[in-house]
Each structure stands twice: as structure tokens, then as C-alpha cells.
């Protein structure tokens, strides 16, 4: 769900005003967004872009847009949806799909003749229609909500194919929007001018309509937005997130800049979040009635994604971005007093259980990456794997330095490289770790993690406050293809002899309703309940989606150690 952070890590230097200067002044790109939230088929977000003298030749790509990205589709567009014109009049356009990648497929619009002067691109982007049966996933799609729109540019923005950087001026035409509407982009509210690569137009959020915010007036530097009244107190949430953001930004040496948090309601079960440029969006299911406390871990994780990044393919580096976010979202929350030691212990054990019970726990990183966007359980492999590996590195660095240095020093060093526009990939990470514990040990530990060896928590890292103890876990085993729970909702690849098979699930069954898989995964004793339709008959089955007990570990609190003696 957090793919975008890995993709964006190489772009954020430009967003933050760092990195090498361009050889020539960036060309101008004016963007006007016009929302029409009609609440039905006529709803769309109008987009009009003016590209300063792009100098295109016949056959050059003009703009590009994902057809599907990390399992999230864009709504189907008619062939003539995108129009372009220049000083000579309309420009004929054709379409072509780019070669698919593990993350998804992009479509390009190609000019049929050379351009003359500025080029104006215009189109109407429809929102994605979602229902209770829609599969939970990264928050990339454009949604209509309560008189407005919420989503990332990946769901609607046909961005210039030329990477830029561009001198962007983005504004909102709210003439067709409800009275009192406001338009917000990840990088600012109202009219925003900045210099960015074209990719940031897609990997950022857009939020418009009769929204509310914390604080009520824009321009505070840290803002939280919502279109529908949530079941929790959004002002309490905003105040806590603002305090946490200040601590995290200071830890990572953030040079400053605004930050935004966007909320949206999901008609389907589950919560989730995705971090993009200087912002993140989170979704929640209203009937679940989430609280500020229940959302804290998710939102801290998304916020932590703002800083630690690693260059490279997502499948090779997700352990770092996700592991760092898992680690520092908890540790920095504890250091800031946002969570208690007891809550930290609960979070540690929840994450340990999720890691050890993952059916892909011993898959190599490349093997797990192949399944990222077809099975959400595989997507979580880098979270636990990276988190435990980083704790092992932390323990080794502390031991080698006699407690004078820690993972904090490595995380900050990687961040400094990123800020300075220097390489910050796996090679640089291993060089930093090798300088602390020796290159042989650094490489060996990394390779164990990548090939899928079971990772064991360092026994003395949090002693005497927390003690590591073995505890067997039962791996999660759905019993049929996870893709069966996606939009088509038809059971496929039933595993003979599995609990699902024994409960009466059959290939071809239509899944009318299912328990929240993310909640079932958290509790070994919680059954999965499916309402199935087979022909004209409907039935309900319940079973425990678990395999045989396997090796696992968790932490216990030493009752004789006071809080002020704990160190994280």
C-alpha cells in the first residue's frame, strides 16, 4: 500500500528544493482543475494544462496515465477523452500502452504532428465507482465524496510525458463547486506555484469540495482535511498528529515545508493509508467507528514514510522504506510521549505475530515482490522483515560501539545523502552498516534478510525492559487464491485439505460477503465468515484460516523495570 514512497524517494529532492540545478530554466506548466461533483454519472474533474512550447515531433508522447497501478485501476476513458491543441489548431492524438511493469501499466497519448508554440491539453476525468465489494488497497484512485473529490493524481492526472522539472502553477476553478468549497493539493491550498518533475503531479493528492480542516484556516504549515464528518474527533487527531510531525521532522533534520493529511471514507471494510509528496491520505470504514487511538499506529506509519527512503526498485528496497516506517512510527511516538510503553509492547507483538504468521515469511524478497500486487498478504512481507532486520542492525551497532551509536545514526546518514542529492541505495546502506560492524557481517546480515531466512529479535536490545520469548504461531492460510476477494469475487484455486475446503468452500462459489481479512489476520482465534452463492443457493461458512503451528517470537515486559529505565 505504500509503493509510492519508494517511487517518490528520488523525486522528493526536487520537491524540497534540493539536488542539482537544471541546465536551463524549467518550462512553464499551468494547470487548472474544475470539479463537477454531480453525485452520479455526470461527475468529473475537469483538467486543463498548458505546456510551454514543448517542441514535440510527430510520434512523440504528450501525456501518460496509469491504466492500473499496484492493483488500482483508473476508470475507463473513451478514445477521444483527451484533446490537445496549439497555435495551429487541434493536434491529432493516438494511444499506446507502455510495456507493463510489476507495479502496473501506463497509457501514452502520442501526437500525430509536430507542435507549434504552447500546447493546451484538456479532458474530463471521471471518479472511480466503489462499493462494499471493492478490494481495499493503496489510496491512488479518484473518489467522489460528499460534494467533492479526494484522490491522488494516479487516478486521473495525465501528466506530461517529458519528466521536467516543470515550473508548475496549479489553480482551481470552483465556479461549479458547492458554496464554500476549497481546493487543496499536497503541496499547497488554492493557487500553488512550485518546480517539480511531472511524476509528482501523479504521486500527490488532490482534495476539493466543501471540506473542513484542522486548523480551520489554511496556511498553518500542518493541516488535516476531511469531507465527511468522521466518527472520531478530527481536531484531537490533528493536534496529536501535528505534535508527532514536529518530533519526526526534527529527528530526520527536515528543512521545513508544509505537510498535509487527508481523510476519506471507504464503503468497504478496512482501513489503510498511503504516503505521497509532503502528505498522506488515510481511509476508514464508518461502521467500524475508528477512534483516534486506534488510528494512531497507521497514521504514524504513513507520516514516518515522509523521510526515510532508498533508491532502487520497489521489490528490492521495500524492506527499508516499510521497515523504517514500522520502526520509527513506534519508537518516535514513544519518545515523544504519544504512546505508553504498554502500547509500544502491544504494537511490537502485533507486528511480530504478523511477520511470523505470514505464509510468505520464508520467501525471498524477489519471490515476495512477484506477488505484491495480487496478494495483499505478500505486500506485508517487507514490513515485518525490514522492521526485524533493522532491529538486528541496531543491536549489532550498539554492541560494536559500546552503546555510543545506534540505528538512529545510520537512518540520519541515509537521509542526509538523500537531501544532498547523493546516491542512497543498497550499496550505500551496506557501506554505512559495514563501517559500524564490519563489511562481512553487514553483507551477511543483509543477505539473510533478502533470501528469506527467519529473523529472530535480538534478545538484549530492549533489556531489561522487554524480554524476547519464543511463542509458536499458526500461519495465515486463506485456502484459496487471495485474488478471489477482489472485484470479481469468485473462488479460485481452492487448496485441497485446507480449512476452507473442509468448511465447504468450492471453486466457482461467488463471495457475497466476507469478514474483514485484515482483522482476521491479526487474531489466530478469529474465524473467517463467508457468505457464498452457488447457483441459486446462498450459504454461510465459517472456518479458522490457519495452518500448523510454526516458530515465532514475542516480547514480554519485565514488571520490575520502571518506565524511566526503558530505552527505545
Amino acid at each position: 500500500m505504500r509503493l509510492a514512497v519508494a517511487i517518490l524517494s528520488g523525486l522528493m529532492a526536487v520537491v524540497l528544493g534540493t539536488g542539482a540545478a537544471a541546465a536551463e530554466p524549467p518550462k512553464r506548466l499551468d494547470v487548472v482543475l474544475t470539479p463537477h461533483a454531480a453525485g452520479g454519472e455526470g461527475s468529473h474533474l475537469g483538467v486543463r494544462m498548458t505546456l510551454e512550447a514543448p517542441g514535440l515531433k510527430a510520434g512523440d508522447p504528450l501525456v501518460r496515465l496509469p491504466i492500473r497501478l499496484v492493483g488500482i485501476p483508473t476508470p475507463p476513458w473513451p478514445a477521444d477523452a483527451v484533446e490537445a491543441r496549439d497555435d495551429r489548431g487541434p493536434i491529432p492524438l493516438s494511444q499506446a500502452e507502455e510495456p507493463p511493469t510489476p507495479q502496473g501499466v501506463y497509457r501514452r497519448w502520442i501526437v500525430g504532428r509536430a507542435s507549434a508554440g504552447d500546447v493546451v491539453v484538456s479532458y474530463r476525468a471521471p471518479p472511480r465507482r466503489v462499493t462494499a465489494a471493492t478490494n481495499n488497497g493503496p489510496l491512488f484512485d479518484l473518489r467522489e465524496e460528499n460534494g467533492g473529490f479526494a484522490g491522488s493524481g494516479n487516478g486521473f492526472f495525465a501528466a506530461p510525458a517529458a519528466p521536467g522539472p516543470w515550473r508548475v502553477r496549479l489553480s482551481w476553478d470552483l465556479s461549479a463547486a458547492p458554496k464554500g468549497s476549497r481546493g487543496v493539493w499536497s503541496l499547497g491550498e488554492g493557487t500553488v506555484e512550485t518546480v517539480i518533475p511531472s511524476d509528482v503531479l501523479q504521486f500527490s493528492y488532490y482534495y476539493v469540495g466543501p471540506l473542513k480542516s484542522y486548523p480551520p484556516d489554511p496556511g498553518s504549515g500542518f493541516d488535516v482535511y476531511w469531507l465527511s464528518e468522521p466518527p472520531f474527533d478530527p481536531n484531537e487527531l490533528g493536534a496529536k498528529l501535528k505534535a508527532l510531525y514536529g518530533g519526526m521532522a526534527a529527528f530526520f533534520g527536515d528543512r521545513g515545508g508544509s505537510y498535509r493529511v487527508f481523510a476519506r471514507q471507504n464503503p468497504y471494510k478496512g482501513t489503510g493509508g498511503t504516503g505521497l509528496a509532503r502528505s498522506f491520505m488515510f481511509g476508514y470504514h464508518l461502521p467500524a467507528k475508528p477512534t483516534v487511538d486506534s488510528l494512531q499506529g497507521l497514521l504514524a506509519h504513513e507520516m514516518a514514510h515522509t523521510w526515510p527512503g532508498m533508491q532502487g526498485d520497489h521489490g528490492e528496497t521495500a524492506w527499508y522504506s516499510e521497515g523504517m516506517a514500522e520502526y520509527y512510527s513506534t519508537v518516535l511516538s514513544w519518545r515523544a510521549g504519544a504512546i505508553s510503553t504498554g502500547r509500544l509492547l502491544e504494537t511490537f507483538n502485533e507486528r511480530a505475530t504478523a511477520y511470523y504468521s505470514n505464509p510468505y515469511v520464508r520467501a525471498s524478497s524477489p519471490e515476495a515482490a512477484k506477488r505484491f500486487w495480487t496478494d495483499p498478504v505478500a505486500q506485508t512481507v517487507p514490513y515485518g522483515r525490514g522492521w526485524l532486520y533493522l532491529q538486528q542492525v541496531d543491536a549489532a551497532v550498539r554492541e560494536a560501539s559500546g552503546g555510543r551509536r545506534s540505528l538512529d545514526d545510520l537512518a540520519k546518514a541515509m537521509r542526509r545523502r538523500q537531501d544532498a542529492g547523493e546516491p542512497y541505495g543498497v550499496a550505500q546502506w551496506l557501506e554505512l552498516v559495514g563501517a559500524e560492524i564490519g563489511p562481512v557481517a553487514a553483507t551477511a546480515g543483509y543477505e539473510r534478510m533478502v533470501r528469506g531466512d527467519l529473523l529472530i529479535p535480538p534478545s538484549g536490545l530492549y533489556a531489561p525492559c522487554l524480554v524476547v520469548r519464543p511463542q509458536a504461531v499458526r500461519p495465515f492460510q486463506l485456502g484459496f487464491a487471495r485474488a478471489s476477494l477482489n472485484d470479481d469475487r469468485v473462488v479460485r484455486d481452492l487448496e485441497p485439505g485446507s480449512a476452507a475446503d473442509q468448511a465447504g468452500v468450492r471453486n466457482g462459489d461467488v463471495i457475497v460477503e466476507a469478514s474483514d481479512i485484515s482483522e482476521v489476520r491479526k487474531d489466530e482465534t478469529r474465524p473467517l465468515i463467508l457468505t457464498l452463492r452457488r447457483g441459486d443457493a446462498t450459504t454461510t461458512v465459517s472456518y479458522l484460516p490457519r495452518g500448523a503451528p510454526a516458530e515465532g517470537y514475542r516480547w514480554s515486559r519485565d514488571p520490575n523495570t520502571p518506565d524511566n529505565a526503558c530505552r527505545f
Side-chain angles (χ1 to χ4, degrees):
M1 292 171 61
R2 285 103 178 177
L3 162 73
V5 175
I7 293 177
L8 267 178
S9 61
L11 305 175
M12 292 310 297
V14 180
V15 177
L16 299 175
T18 61
E24 298 179 1
K27 291 193 174 183
R28 188 184 68 255
L29 177 65
D30 292 335
V31 180
V32 180
L33 302 178
T34 306
H36 294 265
E41 290 302 319
S43 294
H44 67 272
L45 185 59
V47 181
R48 181 182 174 89
M49 293 187 297
T50 302
L51 292 72
E52 180 186 5
L56 299 171
K57 303 185 297 296
D60 283 348
L62 174 60
V63 293
R64 62 195 294 267
L65 174 75
I67 300 173
R68 178 178 289 269
L69 189 64
V70 295
I72 305 300
T74 52
W77 289 17
D80 58 352
V82 176
E83 299 179 349
R85 55 187 307 118
D86 60 6
D87 293 350
R88 293 171 53 194
I91 301 176
L93 299 175
S94 60
Q95 300 179 31
E97 290 187 9
E98 298 178 4
T101 70
Q103 288 76 41
V105 180
Y106 280 76
R107 173 176 294 150
R108 290 188 170 199
W109 280 262
I110 299 166
V111 297
R113 64 165 173 81
S115 63
D118 294 352
V119 173
V120 179
V121 177
S122 58
Y123 58 93
R124 294 181 173 186
R128 183 188 182 198
R129 301 298 174 191
V130 292
T131 69
T134 300
N135 192 43
N136 198 3
L139 284 74
F140 281 171
D141 50 351
L142 180 68
R143 303 268 185 90
E144 185 175 8
E145 180 178 336
N146 198 27
F149 293 100
S152 86
N154 286 305
F156 76 92
F157 210 120
W166 294 85
R167 183 160 45 94
V168 174
R169 183 180 190 274
L170 187 143
S171 60
W172 300 84
D173 176 357
L174 301 177
S175 57
K179 184 178 179 180
S181 289
R182 296 154 61 184
V184 187
W185 183 27
S186 286
L187 303 185
E189 181 166 345
T191 299
V192 179
E193 298 188 25
T194 186
V195 177
I196 53 171
S198 58
D199 289 31
V200 175
L201 292 166
Q202 292 176 332
F203 288 95
S204 53
Y205 285 114
Y206 301 82
Y207 206 80
V208 61
L211 55 87
K212 296 181 181 179
S213 64
Y214 167 87
D217 298 320
S220 72
F222 183 92
D223 301 276
V224 180
Y225 300 90
W226 59 97
L227 277 163
S228 304
E229 283 301 319
F232 48 84
D233 183 344
N235 293 295
E236 178 189 356
L237 181 73
K240 288 189 174 183
L241 287 177
K242 184 176 182 178
L244 182 59
Y245 172 79
M248 285 187 173
F251 176 83
F252 286 106
D254 196 324
R255 299 183 180 182
S258 61
Y259 196 90
R260 291 170 177 80
V261 178
F262 305 99
R264 75 180 188 191
Q265 289 186 0
N266 295 327
Y268 46 79
K269 297 174 182 177
T271 58
T274 306
L276 298 181
R278 302 295 303 184
S279 61
F280 70 83
M281 181 175 284
F282 70 97
Y284 62 90
H285 188 49
L286 184 61
K289 298 181 180 179
T291 64
V292 171
D293 287 341
S294 70
L295 290 169
Q296 197 277 339
L298 167 69
L299 303 188
H301 175 102
E302 296 305 331
M303 186 176 292
H305 264 310
T306 304
W307 297 282
M310 177 175 280
Q311 287 174 318
D313 179 78
H314 175 68
E316 297 175 353
T317 63
W319 65 267
Y320 185 86
S321 59
E322 299 299 352
M324 281 285 186
E326 289 284 82
Y327 180 79
Y328 281 112
S329 63
T330 308
V331 168
L332 293 182
S333 293
W334 181 85
R335 293 178 189 174
I339 61 173
S340 66
T341 304
R343 181 57 188 143
L344 177 141
L345 175 61
E346 290 175 11
T347 303
F348 271 20
N349 284 332
E350 288 170 0
R351 289 175 178 169
T353 298
Y355 168 74
Y356 292 112
S357 66
N358 194 306
Y360 302 107
V361 65
R362 293 183 185 268
S364 69
S365 291
E367 289 169 348
K370 292 177 182 178
R371 297 177 177 267
F372 276 178
W373 313 123
T374 58
D375 189 341
V377 178
Q379 289 179 30
T380 64
V381 169
Y383 291 65
R385 180 172 293 179
W387 173 65
L388 280 168
Y389 163 71
L390 290 171
Q391 290 184 62
Q392 291 182 340
V393 171
D394 191 20
V397 172
R398 290 175 187 269
E399 181 179 1
S401 66
R404 295 184 299 276
R405 294 177 62 78
S406 69
L407 179 66
D408 290 358
D409 298 288
L410 303 183
K412 291 178 180 179
M414 285 288 283
R415 178 64 191 177
R416 286 194 295 271
R417 296 188 66 88
Q418 184 177 353
D419 272 347
E422 299 173 355
Y424 57 104
V426 170
Q428 288 71 42
W429 167 257
L430 291 178
E431 181 180 343
L432 289 170
V433 178
E436 302 285 346
I437 66 174
V440 174
T443 301
Y446 172 77
E447 290 180 347
R448 284 194 296 271
M449 182 263 294
V450 170
R451 67 174 174 252
D453 288 7
L454 197 70
L455 304 180
I456 300 173
S459 58
L461 180 59
Y462 306 123
C465 184
L466 302 184
V467 179
V468 177
R469 301 187 187 281
Q471 178 165 314
V473 298
R474 296 186 64 187
F476 181 77
Q477 186 180 52
L478 182 60
F480 52 86
R482 178 59 179 81
S484 303
L485 289 169
N486 293 351
D487 293 340
D488 63 354
R489 312 283 283 187
V490 176
V491 174
R492 296 188 298 276
D493 301 331
L494 182 71
E495 298 175 19
S498 65
D501 181 25
Q502 295 177 30
V505 179
R506 295 294 177 261
N507 283 319
D509 286 350
V510 176
I511 302 172
V512 178
E513 189 173 358
S515 306
D516 184 349
I517 292 293
S518 61
E519 293 300 318
V520 173
R521 277 196 64 208
K522 294 177 183 178
D523 185 350
E524 287 189 6
T525 66
R526 185 167 179 169
L528 176 65
I529 302 173
L530 300 174
T531 300
L532 304 172
R533 187 173 67 248
R534 188 180 305 158
D536 295 330
T538 300
T539 186
T540 298
V541 300
S542 175
Y543 66 95
L544 201 62
R546 298 285 164 174
E551 182 179 358
Y553 297 85
R554 63 185 290 115
W555 283 267
S556 296
R557 179 72 191 273
D558 180 353
N560 299 316
T561 303
D563 268 6
N564 59 13
C566 296
R567 295 290 181 268
F568 301 99

